[in-house]
Amino acid sequence: MRSCQKIFIVQFIAATLGILLIVNEIYAGEAAPYTKEAYEKLEEAQKIYKPSYPGKDSTLAEKQKASINMFRDLFKQAGFDFDATIRQIAKDLENKTVTIPKNGQNVITMIIVLLSYVKSHCEYEKVDCLSFFDPKTSEAVQWLWKNTGFKP
């Protein structure tokens, strides 16, 4: 094979991978819908997700931020955006367009339980976990903590 052909093939593969990454990034910007399929995607992503842990010399704040980023990565792996999902759930619950389903296997309950975990650990370790979210998501997290009845 000539070097010109090799270069073309390498460029073609790189371009294809770049397009796939861009498409994934765009899709990962969406909130998880409140469907059984979305919940199942998150469950599947959780089974294959390989978390990276902060070093033992990390501060408590770094460890908590890593936990939140782990949730973000997990949602991204399933094709969703963790922060966008939080904002959407808070908005929908506040506007009373949805209610918290009674069965535990749904995206809304998953988010609320994860945020309860975050709150519990952050309060115990005296870490301001709200600073790990952008202002709109931080506001949504606070609303969910106050209004959902889930206590750590």
Side-chain angles (χ1 to χ4, degrees), residues 9-81:
I9 290 171
V10 169
Q11 288 176 334
F12 177 77
I13 291 171
T16 302
L17 288 174
I19 290 169
L20 290 174
L21 289 172
I22 290 168
V23 168
N24 184 45
E25 287 295 318
I26 292 169
Y27 186 64
E30 297 178 8
Y34 311 139
T35 62
K36 181 179 179 182
E37 293 79 18
Y39 180 82
E40 288 171 353
K41 276 185 174 183
L42 288 162
E43 286 284 297
E44 285 302 312
Q46 191 174 21
K47 290 176 187 174
I48 60 173
Y49 180 69
K50 303 283 188 242
S52 60
Y53 299 100
K56 65 179 181 177
D57 295 332
S58 300
T59 66
L60 293 174
E62 290 168 335
K63 289 177 183 177
Q64 286 306 317
K65 186 174 185 177
S67 291
I68 292 168
N69 286 335
M70 181 185 71
F71 299 142
R72 286 181 174 123
D73 292 344
L74 183 74
F75 269 65
K76 185 176 180 179
Q77 189 167 332
F80 307 118
D81 184 293

Side-chain angles (χ1 to χ4, degrees), residues 24-142:
N24 184 45
E25 287 295 318
I26 292 169
Y27 186 64
E30 297 178 8
Y34 311 139
T35 62
K36 181 179 179 182
E37 293 79 18
Y39 180 82
E40 288 171 353
K41 276 185 174 183
L42 288 162
E43 286 284 297
E44 285 302 312
Q46 191 174 21
K47 290 176 187 174
I48 60 173
Y49 180 69
K50 303 283 188 242
S52 60
Y53 299 100
K56 65 179 181 177
D57 295 332
S58 300
T59 66
L60 293 174
E62 290 168 335
K63 289 177 183 177
Q64 286 306 317
K65 186 174 185 177
S67 291
I68 292 168
N69 286 335
M70 181 185 71
F71 299 142
R72 286 181 174 123
D73 292 344
L74 183 74
F75 269 65
K76 185 176 180 179
Q77 189 167 332
F80 307 118
D81 184 293
F82 180 66
D83 293 57
T85 304
I86 291 169
R87 291 188 303 271
Q88 189 64 51
I89 290 170
K91 177 183 169 193
D92 290 345
L93 289 173
E94 186 173 12
N95 293 332
K96 298 182 183 357
T97 56
V98 297
T99 58
I100 299 172
K102 298 294 182 210
N103 75 356
Q105 296 183 331
N106 59 73
V107 172
I108 295 173
T109 302
M110 179 186 283
I111 286 289
I112 293 170
V113 169
L114 289 174
L115 291 177
S116 293
Y117 164 85
V118 167
K119 183 177 184 180
S120 172
H121 283 262
C122 291
E123 285 178 350
Y124 178 77
E125 295 171 350
K126 298 182 180 15
V127 172
D128 177 19
C129 287
L130 293 172
S131 67
F132 305 141
F133 296 98
D134 65 75
K136 287 187 183 280
T137 305
S138 176
E139 186 178 308
V141 168
Q142 290 177 73

